[in-house]
Amino acid sequence: MITIWGRANSVNVQKVLWLCEELSLRYNRIDAGLQFGHNTEADYLAMNPMGKVPTLVDGDFVLWESNSILRYIVMQYGGPGTLYPADPKARASIDRWVDWSLSTLQPAERPVFWGIVRTPEAERDIEKIAADVVKVAEVWKVLDAQLRGRGFVEGKSFTIADIVLGAFAKRWFGMPGIERARMPDLERWYASLATRPGFNTHVDVELT
Ligand SMILES: N[C@@H](CCC(=O)N[C@@H](CS)C(=O)NCC(=O)O)C(=O)O
């Protein structure tokens, strides 16, 4: 059975857990990171020199970087399917959104998440948060436009791009106390994710 190191409230761990649920793949999860520690210890750093979560262990194979973990799991355990199609053009189109989450979406949404969820109310910089919300909305608008006329990020089928972006979307739609610009296609897509048990169990939980 695979082992996933990482606390369940980490967005990057949540993506992996959601994928496992989609594949009915059994796993062992060990809490690590923030209050659980482990990730700064020598044994952990030998597996993951970044000291971050998640880390995947599958027999003698160890892997870090959540999006790489998703690709590994889906290729190793997914079998032929629509989550990550083998066709190079379809796969590259999915990868583009997965990469975009790292290069563009997460850097934009992180200050809002940390500014609200991980900062005590009395210490929050309301003006900075409001400015950061405007910036991340501009990024979400790119996905809103992509979803126009599409059921899922890359068309008719649910893929790992929906998992990666869906996990971050919880941190947009579930964020308390922010003003969200209307994005009808993003909202429709996000609402549709609620039909997926992996999303409900691992992602649609309290932001902490
Ligand atoms: N690009 C990395 C980012 C990993 C990362 O920054 N993880 C955060 C949690 S989302 C972390 O380990 N934070 C330190 C901690 O939890 O102690 C990935 O996608 O795996």
Side-chain angles (χ1 to χ4, degrees):
M1 201 191 307
I2 64 169
T3 296
I4 298 159
W5 286 82
R7 53 191 169 80
N9 65 342
S10 146
V11 66
N12 290 312
V13 174
Q14 290 174 346
K15 300 172 203 172
V16 177
L17 303 181
W18 181 0
L19 174 62
C20 290
E21 202 80 39
E22 292 285 341
L23 298 174
S24 301
L25 179 66
R26 294 181 59 220
Y27 58 86
N28 175 35
R29 187 180 65 77
I30 302 173
D31 273 322
L34 287 183
Q35 74 270 30
F36 299 102
H38 293 309
N39 55 325
T40 53
E41 293 167 8
D43 285 0
Y44 190 91
L45 292 171
M47 295 192 296
N48 181 341
M50 299 307 294
K52 301 283 188 192
V53 296
T55 300
L56 168 105
V57 181
D58 187 6
D60 57 8
F61 179 63
V62 179
L63 190 65
W64 45 273
E65 275 298 333
S66 60
N67 295 342
S68 299
I69 292 172
L70 289 183
R71 293 179 178 110
Y72 170 73
I73 289 177
V74 78
M75 289 189 287
Q76 182 75 324
Y77 296 105
T82 55
L83 277 174
Y84 195 49
D87 170 68
K89 288 180 183 142
R91 184 165 284 194
S93 301
I94 292 164
D95 278 339
R96 165 254 314 268
W97 290 107
V98 173
D99 292 345
W100 180 80
S101 78
L102 266 185
S103 68
T104 308
L105 179 61
Q106 187 165 25
E109 66 82 39
R110 198 169 190 276
V112 176
F113 179 78
W114 275 82
I116 297 175
V117 176
R118 299 257 169 93
T119 304
E121 200 166 351
E123 293 166 30
R124 286 180 198 157
D125 183 341
I126 303 300
E127 276 178 27
K128 179 173 184 313
I129 290 168
D132 288 336
V133 166
V134 170
K135 284 187 206 154
V136 72
E138 291 305 311
V139 176
W140 282 118
K141 280 179 193 166
V142 175
L143 185 60
D144 181 51
Q146 167 71 7
L147 285 164
R148 211 144 299 146
R150 292 185 176 88
F152 295 104
V153 173
E154 268 307 321
K156 289 196 180 72
S157 299
F158 179 86
T159 72
I160 62 166
D162 297 282
I163 293 181
V164 170
L165 300 178
F168 283 107
K170 164 70 188 185
R171 290 163 54 139
W172 173 245
F173 289 108
M175 187 64 65
I178 63 168
E179 264 188 52
R180 275 173 287 274
R182 290 302 310 273
M183 295 183 222
D185 292 283
L186 189 73
E187 289 163 25
R188 168 187 49 78
W189 164 79
Y190 183 71
S192 78
L193 300 179
T195 61
R196 311 198 79 95
F199 171 83
N200 292 326
T201 308
H202 300 295
V203 177
D204 197 14
V205 295
E206 189 189 354
L207 294 172
T208 58

